Amino acid sequence: MYQIGDQQEWTLKDFNDSDWKKGLKKVSKDQIFWSRTKVHILKGSKPLQQYGLQLEVYGAYEVFWDGVLIGKNGNPGQEVNLPPEGELWPTFHIPSHLTKQGEHVIALRLSNYYYPDHIGIYQMKIADYDALLTHQMIESSYMHLFAGAFLIASFYFLFLFFSDKKVFATLIFSITCFLFFALIMVEFTKAYIPIHYEMHVVRLKIIGFLMLGISFLIPFYFSMEFPFPKRKALFFIYTIILLYIFLSRHVFELKANNMSLSMWIFSFGIVIYGVNKKIKGANLVFLALFLSALISFITPFDKSLFVGFTLVLLGMFYLLSLRIKEQRLAYENSLVQSTRLRLELLKKNIQPHFLMNTLTSLIDWIEESPKKGVLFIEALAKEFDLLNRIESKTLIPITEEITLCRTHLEIMEYRKEIRYSWEEEGIDIREKIPPGIIHTLLENGITHSLPMEDNSITFKLIYEANANYKSYTFLTYATLLKQEVQHQKEGTGLKYIKARLTESYHENWELSSEPITHGWKNIIKIYS
């Protein structure tokens, strides 16, 4: 019961307050007002046990129990002239002789200079004094350990995103974990950091911003994992709903409850779509959302909020772990395929047919021209040495790749007695590429081409770069075999090139091959 004014007799237990009001909408900033609350103690305190009173009231006040002053919080009536004092959740000791079984009266003498429209007792707890002092500290210590786990997770997935910026879901999960960590910290630091009621509204606004961010990011994350039709339009509508709730004039608890409820409803819809489409991981996430909703119905909001969000975040973490596992397996398969094709490529270069033809040509050159035979041997040794050095590397300088190609052309000139020419344009010696990919295109050009009328075949490598991609254009000037033009199939060489490009650039590359007027054109594009 409330009354505006200031009379000392209002502290008395037996004072008749039947004409007092049940609530006040607003008081003047410098005005004193009183509240009286009847309390029934069903069981008196035991020996060596003391009851305590914990309050959450906007304002500065004095606390009277059965007419006895048991505590003071701030300077009621003097807030205009004095700086802010007191805290929002103080705990007062009630003398044992005043806590006998029966009816008692708590009277508060108040002033509310900073928020004259926030009138009322928002929380009142009467319990064991030591328990009131220690409960919040114990609870906050556990919650801080809990928050630390989410802080570590946020940094871990942030660094994971920096290592592979294409996995945008890791960044969303990292930000969500950090916002949840911040939400716990802002909520539970009240146990050990005194907060004046003047700052409490600021604290609630910070919590509101954090709730808004979490309520937006969780459904956004699920929409990335379970893409659904008209995603952008529906998410735009959801964002408008969230902003409307956030900017509404409702009390904070109602805002927070409505934002979390909207998040759950929208997330449920997305996950149900994923379950219907049988997307991997959707069933477990649906179970996590269902449990979080169930908990919110059977527990108080301040408890269910954190437990529910935790279950949702665990569902998000499960989805993320599935995607990371899939990427790791794909990468490992790429490495295995690359290794297998690398060995096949080496085998192709030293296979008996190649060696027999090379050795036969070598014998002829030694008999006809020993000096050229020596040069032939040196070129062969140089190519094998280069292949042995680079085949195990992921990237090599473009200059080494060009040297390998030139050396191979020297060998093939001796073997086939065809004049091979090598040209290059715009080459950046600082660039690196996967080993053997240009060499493989060169081999394909030699194998599937006939010399032109002057008994020559020319190869040209052109490098170009812009803000979006780098490209290598490999041209073969020769007479193509008709069957090669009509029916081109992917052999070991092209498989090797694709595996090497995937190993180094994932999906950020493109390979095209097509016949041209006087030969063949291959283009490799590597996107930024």
Side-chain angles (χ1 to χ4, degrees):
M1 306 293 290
Y2 296 88
Q3 183 68 279
I4 297 175
D6 190 15
Q7 297 182 30
Q8 193 62 31
E9 63 182 27
W10 291 350
T11 66
L12 300 177
K13 179 180 179 180
D14 298 328
F15 175 78
N16 182 12
D17 56 13
S18 59
D19 60 338
W20 283 32
K21 299 176 182 178
K22 291 186 177 180
L24 295 175
K25 291 184 178 181
K26 190 173 182 180
V27 296
S28 300
K29 286 187 175 184
D30 56 349
Q31 201 166 24
I32 293 288
F33 65 100
W34 284 70
S35 76
R36 287 172 58 87
T37 305
K38 292 182 179 180
V39 176
H40 292 270
I41 292 185
L42 305 179
K43 186 178 180 181
S45 59
K46 298 177 182 179
L48 302 180
Q49 181 193 30
Q50 294 178 325
Y51 282 153
L53 171 66
Q54 192 174 81
L55 295 171
E56 180 184 341
V57 180
Y58 281 84
Y61 52 88
E62 295 171 347
V63 185
F64 298 87
W65 181 283
D66 290 345
V68 178
L69 179 67
I70 63 171
K72 183 180 178 181
N73 186 54
N75 302 290
Q78 303 178 57
E79 293 183 278
V80 179
N81 303 315
L82 297 176
E85 289 186 27
E87 57 183 282
L88 191 57
W89 295 277
T91 303
F92 304 99
H93 162 248
I94 307 173
S96 299
H97 68 277
L98 297 178
T99 56
K100 295 178 180 179
Q101 185 175 347
E103 185 180 270
H104 302 268
V105 172
I106 300 172
L108 300 182
R109 177 176 179 266
L110 307 105
S111 66
N112 193 341
Y113 175 75
Y114 295 100
Y115 291 102
D117 56 343
H118 286 58
I119 307 300
I121 299 174
Y122 291 89
Q123 182 175 283
M124 177 184 291
K125 288 183 181 179
I126 301 175
D128 182 83
Y129 180 67
D130 292 334
L132 285 174
L133 289 176
T134 58
H135 174 73
Q136 278 196 341
M137 293 297 294
I138 294 171
E139 184 183 41
S140 65
S141 64
Y142 283 117
M143 291 303 295
H144 279 52
L145 289 172
F146 187 55
F150 286 97
L151 179 64
I152 293 171
S154 70
F155 280 115
Y156 173 78
F157 285 100
L158 180 64
F159 294 142
L160 201 63
F161 170 74
F162 287 147
S163 65
D164 188 0
K165 294 183 179 179
K166 294 184 294 298
V167 188
F168 191 63
T170 56
L171 178 62
I172 299 300
F173 185 72
S174 171
I175 296 173
T176 307
C177 285
F178 184 80
L179 291 179
F180 191 58
F181 155 78
L183 180 66
I184 295 173
M185 294 299 294
V186 174
E187 174 63 28
F188 286 92
T189 48
K190 66 183 183 182
Y192 52 87
I193 297 179
I195 299 175
H196 189 260
Y197 78 93
E198 173 196 14
M199 297 302 297
H200 183 51
V201 172
V202 177
R203 173 178 169 271
L204 293 180
K205 288 180 179 179
I206 293 172
I207 292 175
F209 275 110
L210 295 172
M211 285 287 297
L212 177 66
I214 294 171
S215 299
F216 175 80
L217 288 176
I218 288 176
F220 182 70
Y221 177 88
F222 287 138
S223 71
M224 293 175 64
E225 297 295 333
F226 310 120
F228 53 90
K230 299 181 179 179
R231 174 172 169 259
K232 290 183 178 180
L234 290 174
F235 230 91
F236 177 77
I237 295 172
Y238 174 68
T239 304
I240 296 298
I241 293 172
L242 271 185
L243 289 174
Y244 173 77
I245 295 171
F246 178 73
L247 297 173
S248 65
R249 293 182 176 272
H250 298 302
V251 296
F252 167 75
E253 288 79 4
L254 185 59
K255 280 186 182 182
N257 187 53
N258 288 341
M259 283 192 286
S260 62
L261 180 62
S262 301
M263 181 273 294
W264 259 287
I265 292 173
F266 202 70
S267 297
F268 258 122
I270 297 171
V271 175
I272 288 172
Y273 177 83
V275 171
N276 185 51
K277 293 295 182 179
K278 298 181 179 179
I279 300 175
K280 192 173 182 180
N283 289 330
L284 190 62
V285 176
F286 176 81
L287 179 61
L289 282 173
F290 177 77
L291 289 175
S292 65
L294 184 64
I295 289 170
S296 67
F297 281 111
I298 61 178
T299 57
F301 177 73
D302 58 340
K303 300 292 188 298
S304 65
L305 177 67
F306 295 102
V307 176
F309 273 170
T310 301
L311 288 172
V312 174
L313 286 170
L314 287 175
M316 295 168 65
F317 177 72
Y318 172 71
L319 287 177
L320 193 58
S321 65
L322 285 180
R323 303 298 172 257
I324 293 174
K325 180 181 178 182
E326 290 174 358
Q327 290 175 351
R328 179 175 56 81
L329 290 176
Y331 179 70
E332 289 176 355
N333 290 335
S334 173
L335 290 180
V336 171
Q337 184 185 25
S338 177
T339 302
R340 178 176 59 81
L341 292 170
R342 194 163 61 228
L343 293 174
E344 288 184 9
L345 192 70
L346 284 174
K347 184 175 69 175
K348 178 183 175 184
N349 283 279
I350 61 174
Q351 61 181 311
H353 177 71
F354 175 80
L355 285 177
M356 287 300 297
N357 289 340
T358 302
L359 291 174
T360 300
S361 300
L362 181 59
I363 291 170
D364 292 339
W365 278 109
I366 289 175
E367 289 179 348
E368 294 179 12
S369 176
K371 289 184 179 180
K372 287 190 176 182
V374 171
L375 294 175
F376 190 1
I377 293 172
E378 289 177 350
L380 188 62
K382 185 177 180 181
E383 180 174 27
F384 283 153
D385 180 58
L386 281 169
L387 281 170
N388 184 55
R389 269 190 328 188
I390 68 175
E391 60 87 21
S392 61
K393 296 181 180 179
T394 305
L395 293 171
I396 63 169
I398 185 63
T399 51
E400 287 192 15
E401 182 75 8
I402 292 173
T403 301
L404 179 63
C405 293
R406 288 181 176 276
T407 304
H408 189 68
L409 289 181
E410 287 182 41
I411 295 171
M412 299 312 294
E413 275 196 6
Y414 287 116
R415 273 192 50 189
K416 297 197 172 186
E417 298 187 38
I418 297 174
R419 184 161 50 85
Y420 293 103
S421 300
W422 175 270
E423 298 176 1
E424 54 196 62
E425 180 182 315
I427 300 299
D428 185 350
I429 61 174
R430 297 169 298 178
E431 290 296 320
K432 292 186 176 183
I433 62 170
I437 60 173
I438 305 298
H439 178 266
T440 302
L441 293 176
L442 178 72
E443 280 192 322
N444 286 347
I446 293 172
T447 305
H448 304 301
S449 304
L450 294 174
M452 302 183 78
E453 294 180 359
D454 60 352
N455 195 39
S456 70
I457 297 178
T458 300
F459 300 96
K460 186 174 184 178
L461 179 63
I462 303 171
Y463 174 76
E464 295 175 308
N466 57 39
N468 298 319
Y469 62 84
K470 299 179 290 187
S471 73
Y472 293 91
T473 302
F474 188 74
L475 302 171
T476 302
Y477 297 102
T479 302
L480 295 182
L481 299 173
K482 289 184 179 181
Q483 60 269 29
E484 295 295 336
V485 177
Q486 294 172 356
H487 180 67
Q488 181 195 14
K489 63 180 181 179
E490 187 176 279
T492 302
L494 286 178
K495 289 180 181 178
Y496 170 80
I497 293 172
K498 291 180 178 180
R500 278 295 202 177
L501 291 171
T502 301
E503 178 186 5
S504 297
Y505 308 110
H506 302 287
E507 302 300 323
N508 298 326
W509 60 270
E510 184 180 308
L511 172 64
S512 62
S513 299
E514 60 179 353
I516 55 177
T517 307
H518 298 294
W520 201 270
K521 178 170 71 172
N522 300 278
I523 300 176
I524 298 173
K525 285 186 178 180
I526 301 166
Y527 293 96
S528 303

